[in-house]
Amino acid sequence: MDEEAVLQDEDLEGSWTLLSSLASCLMVFGGALPYVPQYQEIQKSSNSEGFSTRVCLVLLIANILRIFFWIGKQFELTLLLQSVVMIITMFAMLHLCCTVQNTNRVSTKQHRLSDLDFRYFWKWSAFEDYLLFCFGFTVLCAVITLLLLDSAVFVETLGSLAVMFEAMLGLPQLLQNFQNRSTKGMSVKMVLLWTAGDVFKTTYFVMNESPTQFWVCGSVQILIDVAILLQVLFFSQDTRAKLG
């Protein structure tokens, strides 16, 4: 009986380890999945106007900050890898948007980072400008982190800033939809996957006793996701009413 109990315990432990590994893998790559249908939508329509590139700005800043937070307070490696994957994904989205916009551009006027025109901040014509901005931001964060790494207050503030930006992930899309009075060009599948992913990761944070900042961030994201889905319903009804 004792041997059977030991074997059962080992089986349960093995099953739990497998599930934990699958959950970690999903955490690393799951955040990038919602952008696949949006990427395909932009490619298919050759139009990126329905997608807010400021979503990329928010996620790039959030994940760069999270990497430096990890240096100061080494939490799960899974979350560090997730940040790296998300940064690569956001650059892929920006590259596609720049390519499509430049192809459709009627005017020959180019907006560059070097113009230092705040009206066109994050609306640059060249993908290289986005890379340059992120490189400069990363260097700035690296210098400040190097100087203040021994300060627990600074490290916690860094973590809070990272999750605060991440919590605002859907806000640019929410505002753009409101401004356009339409969700045309935005992938509803992307938002549904956002919602499913945010529910999953918030549960993951709670179960793995991650820093409080993470599950608070997840909860805020879920609320914004729901607000965007309500926009989809509202604007689609509004459009039908106008056509009727």
Side-chain angles (χ1 to χ4, degrees):
M1 290 294 292
D2 289 340
E3 289 182 2
E4 288 182 8
V6 170
L7 287 173
Q8 286 179 349
D9 287 341
E10 288 179 351
D11 288 341
L12 286 172
E13 186 177 344
S15 299
W16 178 252
T17 301
L18 178 61
L19 286 173
S20 180
S21 299
L22 288 173
S24 295
C25 188
L26 190 58
M27 278 296 294
V28 171
F29 297 101
L33 290 179
Y35 299 95
V36 173
Q38 183 64 70
Y39 191 96
Q40 293 172 333
E41 175 74 22
I42 294 171
Q43 275 190 323
K44 182 180 178 181
S45 65
S46 295
N47 191 328
S48 63
E49 290 181 4
F51 173 70
S52 174
T53 55
R54 292 187 186 271
V55 168
C56 301
L57 170 63
V58 170
L59 276 177
L60 284 167
I61 290 177
N63 284 285
I64 290 169
L65 289 174
R66 188 200 280 185
I67 288 173
F68 286 105
F69 179 42
W70 186 88
I71 293 172
K73 185 176 182 177
Q74 295 185 3
F75 41 89
E76 300 101 306
L77 182 62
T78 299
L79 300 181
L80 175 66
L81 295 175
Q82 183 193 54
S83 290
V84 174
V85 171
M86 284 305 299
I87 288 171
I88 294 170
T89 303
M90 289 305 99
F91 280 137
M93 290 298 297
L94 285 171
H95 183 268
L96 176 65
C97 289
C98 284
T99 302
V100 169
Q101 288 168 6
N102 287 330
T103 301
N104 297 336
R105 193 183 304 279
V106 176
S107 171
T108 56
K109 173 66 176 174
Q110 298 280 307
H111 300 297
R112 302 301 302 264
L113 174 61
S114 56
D115 296 337
L116 300 178
D117 189 341
F118 190 74
R119 292 175 302 168
Y120 296 102
F121 175 76
W122 210 253
K123 296 177 183 178
W124 304 306
S125 305
F127 174 64
E128 292 79 8
D129 288 335
Y130 295 97
L131 290 175
L132 185 60
F133 173 85
C134 290
F135 175 74
F137 180 74
T138 302
V139 170
L140 178 63
C141 288
V143 171
I144 296 173
T145 302
L146 186 64
L147 293 173
L148 300 175
L149 189 59
D150 293 332
S151 170
V153 174
F154 168 75
V155 172
E156 290 300 327
T157 301
L158 199 60
S160 297
L161 284 172
V163 295
M164 182 182 72
F165 272 100
E166 189 173 352
M168 296 298 106
L169 156 65
L171 191 59
Q173 191 65 57
L174 183 76
L175 294 175
Q176 180 160 310
N177 293 344
F178 182 77
Q179 184 179 3
N180 294 341
R181 303 291 296 175
S182 171
T183 57
K184 184 179 179 181
M186 182 197 75
S187 172
V188 178
K189 290 179 182 178
M190 176 184 72
V191 183
L192 289 171
L193 287 169
W194 272 357
T195 309
D198 291 337
V199 170
F200 172 79
K201 74 179 182 183
T202 302
T203 305
Y204 178 91
F205 293 150
V206 173
M207 291 184 66
N208 285 275
E209 299 180 353
S210 299
T212 305
Q213 296 102 317
F214 286 106
W215 66 261
V216 171
C217 156
S219 301
V220 173
Q221 283 181 285
I222 292 169
L223 292 175
I224 295 176
D225 294 341
V226 171
I228 295 174
L229 290 173
L230 289 174
Q231 281 184 323
V232 173
L233 293 174
F234 176 78
F235 289 135
S236 61
Q237 288 176 353
D238 192 41
T239 302
R240 283 198 296 269
K242 287 178 181 178
L243 291 173

